[in-house]
Amino acid sequence: MMRNNAASISSSLLDWARAPWPFARIFGHVVIALWIWGAIALVDNLIQSYDPDYMARYSPKYFWGFVTTLKLVVISVSIGAVLSIPVAFGRMSRNRIFAGFSYCYVYFFRGTPLLAQIFLVYYGFGQFRPELQDMGLWWLFRDAWYCALLTFSLNTAAYQAEILRGAVQSVPRGQPEAAQALGLHKAVIFFRIVLPQALIVALRPYGNEIILMVKGSAIVSIVTVFDLMGETKRAFSQTYDFQMYIYAALFYLVVVELMRRLWDVFEDRLTHHLKRIPDPE
Amino acid sequence: MENALLLLSYGPEGWGDEIVAGIQITVSLALATLPFGLLLGFLLALAINSKEKSLQISAKIFTTIFRGLPELLTLFIVYFSAPGLIRSVVHLFSPETHVEISSFVAGMIALCLVFSSYASEVFLSAFKGIDQGQYEGANALGLSRFHTMRLVIFPQLFKLALPGLSNLWLILLKETSLVSVIGLADIMRQVGIAAKVAKEPFLFYGTACLIYLVLTIISSRGLGWLETWSRRGEIR
């Protein structure tokens, strides 16, 4: 049995080598070799520069930084989801003032970089300290963490409003019309007829938005919030060891990839009824 | 109000000239990244679409990495590791050459890596929108593979990919703001210096937001025009 296996492996290797080697195949194999070499060099580098002291000192910090990142994303995406509902309705509203206001809101937050927004909130509002203290809002603008939360919530609310609007408008008009003909109440039509169909359309964009938020959250490290990126930068400035960035990169890659896979599963489950079963031939 | 105008004016008292220099850096960085990002993205899409397994896998590794990393982290990694990498490659051929990489080039490389992995996605879905019959027709006319691509596929691909690419351009324009943290004097950095010196952070960061907004509006106007132009052959 063993010999058989070995023989089949060696014969498939021979097939692999004997197959024609056009340019694309050579190039592809060279690139794969480069990737493998890069991965080995990276792992080797991590093992060579492995230092139990650093590990003991920095791994809890990385962990808490990671928790901070997740907290930031979860809280701001939830607040953003709530805020996005009135904004999305504003965008669809026939009321000129309401529609104009939500249009400007969405345009501002989607048209400017998140970094500029967070600087505007954190440094810009600091200028109005006496007024904010009078209003009792100073605690919000004093703390970098709250500023980050506020900016991220407002930012993602604008993006989510557009996702929601697109999804609601993608539901065929016949659906609410038919519900109206049946004499259903407006709220019932929206929550039981339109929204479930809209959310399936919105599922993929929502997943992308959360991934974008996970990645975007790295910039809060610039305004002194110690999230995963902040801890990484601090560790790097103390050790000048490049592997600090590699570990952070691995963390982010794993999280984003897991999210993507999870979302594929979600989508598969939720759109099961929409899939066409292929005809047995 | 007058004070604000004075601060934003040109000349020794105002910060207008510094901010305009920052706008130039931001715009030129985005414009310099665009062609490389488009080319690399197109090649990645071709690799993922090719029949060769090894090409597919290597392109997918690339896009997975650069779509998964935060742009800021990519920027730091490129900024700290690219000089060493490029130096060691150059030294293979000519050990005497002195290599130094400016933060502009580092920013360009990082943005290009991110842009191309998203652009490959756009190109891939555009490729899916092209009917198989187009390739077969071109084949029947005896066009070479290169000519099929250039004369038949690419004009249609451009039209299909344009909305996605416009979106990526707007994202790129906003992402250039990150290079301020590696010391490039773009809008954000100039405005930050001005805000610190003049002690008017709200005014200056607000101005920065407005400048980005104007850049976005100009680009989306231009891209909208490009899109109508690309659809000029369609029946309205």
Side-chain angles (χ1 to χ4, degrees):
Chain A
M1 193 65 203
M2 274 297 272
R3 191 172 293 166
N4 237 344
N5 256 346
S8 76
I9 286 174
S10 68
S11 81
S12 60
L13 256 178
L14 267 181
D15 284 346
W16 173 80
R18 272 185 193 146
W21 284 87
F23 173 73
R25 193 159 180 234
I26 297 172
F27 184 71
H29 281 77
V30 168
V31 177
I32 285 216
L34 277 179
W35 277 124
I36 293 173
W37 175 75
I40 292 173
L42 201 67
V43 171
D44 180 60
N45 183 9
L46 288 185
I47 293 171
Q48 292 284 328
S49 55
Y50 178 81
D51 187 336
D53 267 2
Y54 281 180
M55 217 45 173
R57 181 145 33 116
Y58 290 114
S59 53
K61 287 189 175 166
Y62 268 60
F63 176 74
W64 289 113
F66 181 57
V67 170
T68 308
T69 295
L70 287 188
K71 247 174 32 192
L72 180 70
V73 171
V74 169
I75 298 175
S76 53
V77 167
S78 320
I79 298 177
V82 176
L83 280 179
S84 73
I85 296 172
V87 179
F89 276 100
R91 289 281 277 130
M92 291 183 284
S93 146
R94 259 184 243 133
N95 183 334
R96 277 270 183 85
I97 298 164
F98 199 27
F101 177 76
S102 8
Y103 179 76
C104 290
Y105 175 85
V106 169
Y107 212 101
F108 177 79
F109 279 99
R110 298 200 339 153
T112 57
L114 193 50
L115 190 66
Q117 293 164 16
I118 208 164
F119 277 4
L120 186 66
V121 170
Y122 184 54
Y123 296 116
F125 279 96
Q127 198 181 333
F128 307 114
R129 182 171 175 180
E131 291 88 341
L132 287 169
Q133 271 170 335
D134 286 344
M135 283 193 287
L137 282 173
W138 178 237
W139 58 273
L140 184 68
F141 292 97
R142 188 188 55 196
D143 194 352
W145 165 250
Y146 286 124
C147 282
L149 264 185
L150 177 69
T151 318
F152 273 60
S153 306
L154 292 176
N155 181 279
T156 187
Y159 282 93
Q160 289 187 32
E162 284 302 276
I163 295 172
L164 194 62
R165 181 179 71 101
V168 167
Q169 285 180 343
S170 79
V171 175
R173 276 198 63 77
Q175 296 281 335
E177 276 170 10
Q180 225 166 10
L182 289 172
L184 293 180
H185 190 260
K186 254 186 165 179
V188 178
I189 295 177
F190 181 74
F191 284 106
R192 315 293 305 260
I193 313 283
V194 176
L195 200 60
Q197 299 182 59
L199 283 183
I200 283 184
V201 177
L203 192 66
R204 178 61 50 177
Y206 267 129
N208 289 341
E209 173 61 16
I210 296 175
I211 289 175
L212 283 183
M213 287 300 282
V214 171
K215 289 168 43 178
S217 70
I219 69 162
V220 294
S221 63
I222 301 173
V223 291
T224 69
V225 174
F226 287 102
D227 70 327
L228 181 53
M229 188 71 196
E231 291 290 359
T232 309
K233 272 166 73 182
R234 182 154 66 178
F236 181 70
S237 67
Q238 285 165 0
T239 61
Y240 287 106
D241 195 343
F242 192 66
Q243 60 167 319
M244 297 300 170
Y245 279 116
I246 305 295
Y247 281 120
L250 291 177
F251 253 108
Y252 277 112
L253 266 185
V254 168
V255 172
V256 169
E257 209 43 39
L258 273 181
M259 288 256 343
R260 218 190 293 281
R261 293 284 151 87
L262 195 69
W263 228 261
D264 282 346
V265 174
F266 274 172
E267 191 164 70
D268 202 48
R269 282 282 172 85
L270 288 174
T271 58
H272 198 68
H273 61 289
L274 295 175
K275 279 202 198 90
R276 193 170 293 205
I277 301 159
D279 295 328
E281 298 207 14
Chain B
M1 190 60 205
E2 261 175 44
N3 190 25
L5 282 180
L6 184 66
L7 280 173
L8 290 176
S9 68
Y10 246 66
E13 319 256 306
W15 291 88
D17 31 356
E18 280 83 357
I19 294 176
V20 169
I23 297 175
Q24 276 174 2
I25 296 274
T26 293
V27 172
S28 50
L29 179 63
L31 283 177
T33 309
L34 186 68
F36 295 107
L38 283 177
L39 186 67
L40 190 57
F42 187 67
L43 292 179
L44 282 169
L46 281 184
I48 293 176
N49 253 352
S50 84
K51 275 182 227 125
E52 177 54 43
K53 261 269 154 37
S54 58
L55 271 181
Q56 280 177 25
I57 297 171
S58 35
K60 274 186 187 156
I61 295 174
F62 182 94
T63 53
T64 309
I65 291 177
F66 291 108
R67 282 185 319 164
L69 288 182
E71 290 77 12
L72 190 61
L73 189 57
T74 311
L75 190 64
F76 276 128
I77 289 180
V78 168
Y79 185 58
F80 288 123
S81 71
L85 272 179
I86 294 178
R87 205 167 292 148
S88 53
V89 171
V90 170
H91 282 194
L92 281 181
F93 302 105
S94 58
E96 299 303 308
T97 330
H98 182 66
V99 187
E100 216 165 304
I101 283 133
S102 64
S103 48
F104 188 90
V105 176
M108 227 177 98
I109 295 174
L111 290 174
C112 175
L113 294 175
V114 178
F115 183 89
S116 62
S117 36
Y118 280 101
S120 75
E121 204 78 343
V122 172
F123 282 125
L124 270 182
S125 62
F127 266 122
K128 273 186 202 136
I130 291 174
D131 199 72
Q132 196 59 38
Q134 299 287 332
Y135 294 95
E136 286 163 9
N139 200 8
L141 288 174
L143 293 180
S144 70
R145 266 169 69 189
F146 175 74
H147 275 108
T148 308
M149 192 50 86
R150 193 171 78 82
L151 297 172
V152 182
I153 306 303
F154 196 73
Q156 304 181 57
L157 194 75
F158 174 72
K159 205 161 69 181
L160 288 171
L162 197 57
L165 293 178
S166 323
N167 227 347
L168 288 182
W169 163 256
L170 295 178
I171 293 174
L172 175 67
L173 203 56
K174 289 185 282 169
E175 267 170 8
T176 53
S177 64
L178 294 179
V179 294
S180 59
V181 299
I182 57 168
L184 194 61
D186 76 328
I187 298 176
M188 277 321 282
R189 192 167 181 84
Q190 298 285 27
V191 156
I193 296 168
K196 259 185 210 132
V197 174
K199 300 212 167 56
E200 287 274 357
F202 190 80
L203 171 72
F204 281 110
Y205 287 122
T207 312
C209 284
L210 287 183
I211 292 171
Y212 279 110
L213 213 54
V214 169
L215 289 179
T216 308
I217 292 172
I218 294 173
S219 322
S220 46
R221 278 283 164 81
L223 290 165
W225 175 81
L226 200 62
E227 220 168 299
T228 17
W229 176 79
S230 77
R231 292 183 189 286
R232 70 199 180 284
E234 284 171 21
I235 302 162
R236 258 154 298 174

